[in-house]
Amino acid sequence: MTATDPDPALSDLAQGWCALSLLHSKIEAHLERVLEAEHGLSAREYSLLDVLSRQHDGDGGHLQMKQVADAVVLSQSATTRLVTRLENRGLLSRYLCPTDRRGIYTDVSDTGRELLEAARPVYDTALRAALAEAAQDTRVEPLVQAVRSLPGPKG
């Protein structure tokens, strides 16, 4: 048994969880390599830009920092560091909420949108390739099929 092989003594539920974790790790590592090489973005940076680009309220897309943290599944402090890094690169901006001065919003800049649009086809291709490779592993193949069968975003 290797570190990535599920322990036969684990329950079916635990084995399923291990398989899901394995699939996520494989895909994340592949996306990380490709995005960094092609566009100088980490997978988390891409995810943050993507999430923010899909939010719309009034003149532009934006989310409060807590919503950003929830959307990219990071702690608020890690999200703040990520946002700061992208803001320093000119890919995001932060500003006070016009109706609640305690709220801080984050928005994708024009430069960030351009980078995201250039990276999106690379991300999609890398994701398809990572899923195809993962589907060859019988431990995670049913999960790959489940991911492929999920409905896409509406609208």
Side-chain angles (χ1 to χ4, degrees):
M1 181 174 76
T2 67
T4 59
D5 288 333
D7 182 340
L10 291 175
S11 70
D12 288 343
L13 183 61
Q15 284 187 33
W17 178 248
C18 286
L20 181 59
S21 180
L22 176 62
L23 177 62
H24 179 269
S25 295
K26 285 182 174 195
I27 291 172
E28 189 85 6
H30 184 79
L31 292 172
E32 191 78 30
R33 282 190 306 276
V34 171
L35 286 171
E36 185 62 45
E38 300 265 342
H39 295 286
L41 285 172
S42 71
R44 292 278 188 188
E45 291 168 340
Y46 175 89
S47 178
L48 176 61
L49 290 172
D50 185 55
V51 164
L52 288 172
S53 76
R54 296 175 190 276
Q55 302 309 307
H56 298 283
D57 184 4
D59 291 333
H62 62 259
L63 289 175
Q64 290 181 343
M65 290 297 288
K66 180 178 181 340
Q67 293 170 306
V68 172
D70 291 345
V72 295
V73 194
L74 289 172
S75 68
Q76 283 197 269
S77 62
T79 301
T80 298
R81 288 190 300 274
L82 179 61
V83 166
T84 299
R85 199 165 57 241
L86 292 177
E87 185 178 37
N88 289 342
R89 290 175 58 189
L91 303 176
L92 302 176
S93 62
R94 283 186 270 199
Y95 58 94
L96 291 176
C97 172
T99 58
D100 179 0
R101 302 307 253 173
R102 296 170 295 170
I104 298 174
Y105 284 111
T106 306
D107 195 4
V108 180
S109 69
D110 291 340
T111 303
R113 276 186 202 77
E114 289 170 11
L115 179 58
L116 178 63
E117 289 309 310
R120 189 169 273 136
V122 170
Y123 177 91
D124 291 344
T125 299
L127 180 57
R128 279 189 209 92
L131 285 168
E133 182 180 324
Q136 303 306 308
D137 184 335
T138 58
R139 298 168 297 175
V140 298
E141 191 275 333
L143 294 170
V144 171
Q145 294 309 318
V147 168
R148 287 179 173 156
S149 71
L150 292 171
K154 303 292 185 242

